[in-house]
Coordinates of all heavy atoms in Angstrom, one line a residue:
T385 N 276.0 111.6 173.0 CA 275.9 110.6 174.0 C 277.3 109.9 174.3 O 277.3 109.1 175.2 CB 275.1 109.3 173.4 OG1 275.6 108.9 172.2 CG2 273.7 109.7 173.1
G386 N 278.3 110.2 173.5 CA 279.6 109.6 173.8 C 279.7 108.4 172.8 O 280.9 107.9 172.8
V387 N 278.8 108.2 172.0 CA 278.9 107.0 171.0 C 279.8 107.1 170.0 O 280.6 106.2 169.4 CB 277.4 106.5 170.5 CG1 277.5 105.9 169.2 CG2 276.7 105.7 171.5
H388 N 280.0 108.4 169.4 CA 280.7 108.5 168.2 C 282.2 109.0 168.4 O 282.9 108.9 167.6 CB 280.0 109.7 167.3 CG 278.6 109.3 167.1 ND1 278.2 108.1 166.6 CD2 277.4 110.1 167.2 CE1 276.8 108.1 166.5 NE2 276.3 109.3 166.8
G389 N 282.4 109.5 169.6 CA 283.8 110.0 169.8 C 284.3 111.0 168.7 O 283.5 112.0 168.5
A390 N 285.4 110.9 168.2 CA 285.9 111.9 167.2 C 285.5 111.6 165.8 O 285.8 112.5 165.0 CB 287.5 111.8 167.3
N391 N 284.7 110.6 165.6 CA 284.4 110.3 164.2 C 283.3 109.1 164.3 O 283.6 108.1 164.6 CB 285.6 109.8 163.5 CG 285.4 109.5 162.1 OD1 284.6 110.1 161.4 ND2 286.0 108.4 161.7
R392 N 282.1 109.4 163.7 CA 281.1 108.5 163.8 C 281.2 107.3 162.8 O 281.7 107.5 161.8 CB 279.7 109.2 163.5 CG 278.6 108.2 163.4 CD 277.4 109.0 163.0 NE 277.5 109.5 161.7 CZ 277.1 109.0 160.6 NH1 276.3 107.9 160.6 NH2 277.1 109.6 159.4
L393 N 281.1 106.1 163.3 CA 281.2 104.9 162.4 C 279.9 105.0 161.4 O 278.8 105.3 161.9 CB 281.2 103.7 163.1 CG 281.4 102.4 162.3 CD1 282.7 102.3 161.6 CD2 281.1 101.1 163.2
A394 N 280.2 104.7 160.2 CA 279.1 104.8 159.2 C 277.9 104.0 159.6 O 278.0 102.9 160.2 CB 279.6 104.2 157.8
S395 N 276.8 104.6 159.4 CA 275.4 103.9 159.7 C 275.1 103.6 161.1 O 274.3 102.9 161.5 CB 275.2 102.7 158.7 OG 274.9 103.2 157.5
N396 N 275.9 104.2 162.0 CA 275.7 104.1 163.5 C 274.6 105.1 164.0 O 274.1 105.0 165.1 CB 276.8 104.2 164.3 CG 277.6 102.9 164.7 OD1 277.0 101.9 164.4 ND2 278.5 103.0 165.4
S397 N 274.4 106.1 163.1 CA 273.4 107.1 163.5 C 272.0 106.9 163.6 O 271.3 107.2 164.7 CB 273.7 108.4 162.7 OG 273.6 108.1 161.4
L398 N 271.3 106.2 162.7 CA 270.1 105.7 162.8 C 269.8 104.9 163.9 O 268.9 104.9 164.7 CB 269.6 104.9 161.6 CG 269.4 105.8 160.2 CD1 269.2 105.0 159.0 CD2 268.3 107.0 160.3
L399 N 270.8 104.0 164.2 CA 270.7 103.0 165.4 C 270.8 103.8 166.7 O 270.1 103.5 167.6 CB 272.0 102.1 165.3 CG 271.8 100.9 166.2 CD1 270.8 100.0 165.9 CD2 273.2 100.1 166.4
E400 N 271.8 104.8 166.7 CA 271.7 105.6 168.0 C 270.4 106.2 168.2 O 269.9 106.3 169.3 CB 272.8 106.7 167.8 CG 273.0 107.4 169.2 CD 273.8 108.8 169.0 OE1 273.6 109.4 168.0 OE2 274.4 109.2 169.9

Side-chain angles (χ1 to χ4, degrees):
T385 58
V387 154
H388 305 310
N391 180 40
R392 177 183 60 101
L393 182 67
S395 286
N396 266 357
S397 42
L398 292 172
L399 191 71
E400 187 198 30

